[in-house]
Amino acid sequence: MTLKLGTIGTNWITQMFVEAAHITGEYALSAVYSRHSDSGAAFADKFETEATVYTDLNEFFNSGIDVVYIASPNGLHFAQAAEALKAGVEVIVEKSAFDNTKQYEAIYTLMRENNVHVFEAARHIQQANFKAIAKKIGEMEHISGATFVYEKYSSRFDAYLAGENPNVLNREFSAGALADLGVYPLYAAIALFGMPKSSHYFATLLNNDTDGRGTAILRYADFDVTLIFGKGANSYLQSEILGYRDTIIIDNIAELEEVIYDDGQGSRTVISTPAPANPMVEEARLFAAIINEPVANEARYNELLLTSQRVNAVLTNLRKDAGVVFPSDPA
């Protein structure tokens, strides 16, 4: 069944997802929500579609769409996803999906009550090069630790330096380095190694008490995984997974363009394949398969859901550890 797709958000990542969805042949853009009709119409015009533009969320969710892709500011995800679930609409929500475990539990309840799915869009863990990393880990004799790095200068950091308080650098909108960029290396760690025994976050705060960069440490039984991320600088450090002598070297834990296995004895092998032009195709294809054939894909969905829940729990704990509070956090 071709899924009628609705979108919330008119930025670059929404455009990338719609293009990926169309590449799969499993979706057709049917509805676009925007607070402003002009921006919604401009977004819809980028595609050969007769999608209807809505400025009212209730009308949007009751327009006959099968699935919604939510790429609004983080702080809006929960309310929009909840409204979608109540309308019986399948939900794909950008990471970080929800602010804390309390929100996740409420969404989980709504999902079960309305017999629909919730997917967190973590595109990198569905890519072929990520699966190559997982396969190689399974072949290694021992894991000694890992370091994952994702630090990029935000397009809005100049505005922050000029005295403004942009949404993407404002904890009042559930934003910050951990929620926006740290979630990439965190997702990779949990997808590869499971739930850590403990987690700790050393955050560097901006003058608005939002975390601008930081280092998180995930403690496992036999090793640690260090996550380094930030929005106020550019880092070109590679990410690594350490064995004894051998090492997996990753150019970028979010983009995954090149992955190398070094055996520690003078031999290096490229285990990656050329990165896809659109990195969201595989996740879009997987989500459609689960929606259209839920029984056959139940195990795959449960694995996705468990990983998402674990990521949410660790994100919640990391912020608590660093004293970074969102408005939606329990008192």
Side-chain angles (χ1 to χ4, degrees):
M1 178 182 81
T2 300
L3 299 168
K4 294 180 181 178
L5 172 66
T7 60
I8 299 177
T10 56
N11 54 22
W12 65 270
I13 200 165
T14 311
Q15 180 175 341
M16 183 182 291
F17 183 82
V18 174
E19 290 171 352
H22 285 172
I23 288 170
T24 69
E26 302 287 348
Y27 306 77
L29 183 62
S30 174
V32 172
Y33 170 79
S34 176
R35 291 177 300 163
H36 307 289
S37 58
D38 289 348
S39 58
F43 180 81
D45 286 345
K46 295 177 181 180
F47 309 96
E48 294 182 4
T49 177
E50 296 181 358
T52 303
V53 176
Y54 294 89
T55 57
D56 181 279
L57 266 180
N58 184 60
E59 292 179 3
F60 169 76
F61 284 127
N62 289 282
S63 65
I65 58 174
D66 299 306
V67 56
V68 61
Y69 171 77
I70 300 174
S72 53
N74 293 348
L76 301 178
H77 289 177
F78 173 74
Q80 292 172 345
E83 191 169 345
L85 294 173
K86 291 173 184 176
V89 175
E90 309 274 353
V91 171
I92 301 169
V93 58
E94 265 303 326
K95 58 198 172 309
S96 306
F98 308 112
D99 292 354
N100 47 55
T101 53
K102 180 180 179 182
Q103 284 192 351
Y104 208 109
E105 289 166 5
I107 289 295
Y108 187 88
T109 298
L110 285 172
M111 180 187 75
R112 295 302 187 194
E113 288 176 350
N114 293 281
N115 195 31
V116 285
H117 300 89
V118 175
F119 304 94
E120 187 168 15
R123 65 181 186 271
H124 57 316
I125 70 166
Q126 302 305 331
Q127 294 179 36
N129 289 344
F130 190 85
K131 294 175 182 177
I133 294 169
K135 182 175 183 295
K136 181 55 69 174
I137 287 173
E139 297 170 353
M140 294 170 69
E141 177 185 358
H142 176 77
I143 299 299
S144 297
T147 299
F148 294 157
V149 183
Y150 194 40
E151 190 157 6
K152 293 174 61 178
Y153 191 81
S154 169
S155 62
R156 299 294 293 151
F157 208 80
D158 285 346
Y160 164 77
L161 293 175
E164 298 178 28
N165 200 13
N167 294 353
V168 296
L169 295 166
N170 188 342
R171 66 184 177 86
E172 296 299 315
F173 289 87
S174 306
L178 175 62
D180 290 343
L181 293 186
V183 68
Y184 283 90
L186 177 59
Y187 235 108
I190 291 180
L192 292 171
F193 305 120
M195 191 71 170
K197 295 179 65 177
S198 64
S199 57
H200 309 277
Y201 183 29
F202 305 92
T204 301
L205 301 182
L206 303 176
N207 60 19
N208 61 1
D209 292 329
T210 301
D211 55 322
R213 72 182 306 274
T215 300
I217 298 177
L218 311 181
R219 307 223 75 172
Y220 290 85
D222 301 315
F223 59 87
D224 291 343
V225 177
T226 301
L227 315 177
I228 302 170
F229 45 86
K231 304 191 72 169
N234 286 315
S235 173
Y236 302 96
L237 291 175
Q238 295 174 319
S239 295
E240 296 182 325
I241 300 169
L242 311 177
Y244 280 133
R245 292 182 178 180
D246 53 344
T247 306
I248 298 173
I249 305 164
I250 306 158
D251 66 330
N252 185 301
I253 195 60
E255 306 304 332
L256 302 171
E257 292 185 352
E258 184 178 62
V259 183
I260 295 170
Y261 176 70
D262 188 312
D263 68 0
Q265 302 179 72
S267 178
R268 283 192 166 192
T269 305
V270 176
I271 63 172
S272 56
T273 54
N278 188 317
M280 303 179 86
V281 171
E282 288 307 314
E283 68 171 4
R285 182 174 288 118
L286 175 59
F287 298 161
I290 293 170
I291 292 169
N292 283 325
E293 298 183 73
V295 175
N297 291 287
E298 183 177 8
R300 299 176 78 186
Y301 178 63
N302 287 339
E303 181 181 357
L304 289 180
L305 191 61
L306 178 61
T307 302
S308 176
Q309 290 172 316
R310 286 174 167 176
V311 167
N312 178 266
V314 176
L315 283 173
T316 302
N317 184 71
L318 289 173
R319 283 198 301 104
K320 182 178 180 181
D321 188 64
V324 177
V325 179
F326 288 164
S328 61
D329 289 338

